[in-house]
Amino acid sequence: MPTNIEIKARVHSLENLLPAVASMADREPEHVEQDDTFFSCPNGRLKLRVLSDCHGVLIYYRRADEAGPKPSFYLHSETSDPDGLRSVLTDAYGQIGRVRKDRIVFHVGQTRVHLDRVEGLGEFLELEVPVGGTLEPVTAVSEAHRLLAALEIDHSSLIKGAYVDLLAAAGAATE
């Protein structure tokens, strides 16, 4: 199963962080609007990420709900009918929340650096360091720590869980 080392942190201002991330990036960023619907799943998390009316990605993943770098094991499958798939999954499993965000994706070496503006929550930094190939888990964790330090992200800003958990805690995870 593919694996990333992931870490999320709340940030005060994406605009202040943007120049530092851009200066480290290997190429121009990608801007993406994402609409994630989460479904009941006893063995991890199951979400449908809608990227457009005719493009979505069903993603299953497992990771610990803890602050700091952690492994995330995932599988995904693309769909050309995200609304139809959302309807089927809602009937079969039930929705547990929805997360809408604007994301800027940078690549720093092998690491994907996400600058997220999450509707109802605020602004966040997310790092995804792929494991495998040339990076062992310990090296990927070290890379995540290196990037956090380079971006001056304080350990107290790290968050546990997923955006859907933060929205649920705030009472805003569903439509």
Side-chain angles (χ1 to χ4, degrees):
M1 190 177 285
T3 304
N4 290 321
I5 297 297
E6 294 188 8
I7 193 163
K8 279 190 179 96
R10 186 177 293 276
V11 298
H12 296 291
S13 169
L14 292 180
E15 283 72 28
N16 291 344
L17 193 56
L18 191 61
V21 176
S23 72
M24 294 188 291
D26 301 331
R27 56 185 176 236
E28 292 298 311
E30 178 184 0
H31 297 260
V32 185
E33 289 184 16
Q34 297 177 342
D35 180 355
D36 294 347
T37 303
F38 286 77
F39 303 94
S40 180
C41 180
N43 300 316
R45 295 183 190 271
L46 183 64
K47 69 181 172 186
L48 175 63
R49 172 164 290 159
V50 177
L51 300 165
S52 72
D53 289 342
C54 60
H55 184 217
V57 183
L58 183 64
I59 304 166
Y60 166 74
Y61 67 98
R62 289 190 320 255
R63 72 166 181 244
D65 288 333
E66 57 189 40
K70 58 207 154 274
S72 177
F73 308 96
Y74 66 93
L75 297 170
H76 69 277
S77 179
E78 300 204 20
T79 180
S80 60
D81 183 16
D83 287 336
L85 184 55
R86 180 188 291 127
S87 179
V88 169
L89 291 168
T90 298
D91 286 348
Y93 297 109
Q95 284 188 26
I96 61 169
R98 198 150 175 189
V99 177
R100 293 177 182 89
K101 63 184 169 284
D102 291 318
R103 172 171 277 179
I104 303 172
V105 181
F106 287 92
H107 294 267
V108 177
Q110 295 183 48
T111 303
R112 291 178 301 278
V113 179
H114 302 158
L115 301 181
D116 292 339
R117 184 168 284 118
V118 182
E119 191 176 295
L121 282 181
E123 299 180 338
F124 298 84
L125 165 78
E126 181 180 72
L127 304 176
E128 292 181 346
V129 187
V131 174
T134 61
L135 286 182
E136 294 298 319
V138 68
T139 307
V141 168
S142 294
E143 178 63 5
H145 282 298
R146 184 190 73 75
L147 288 170
L148 287 175
L151 296 170
E152 299 179 354
I153 303 297
D154 188 77
H155 186 37
S156 65
S157 299
L158 303 182
I159 63 167
K160 298 178 181 181
Y163 296 138
V164 71
D165 300 325
L166 297 176
L167 285 167
T174 59
E175 285 191 321

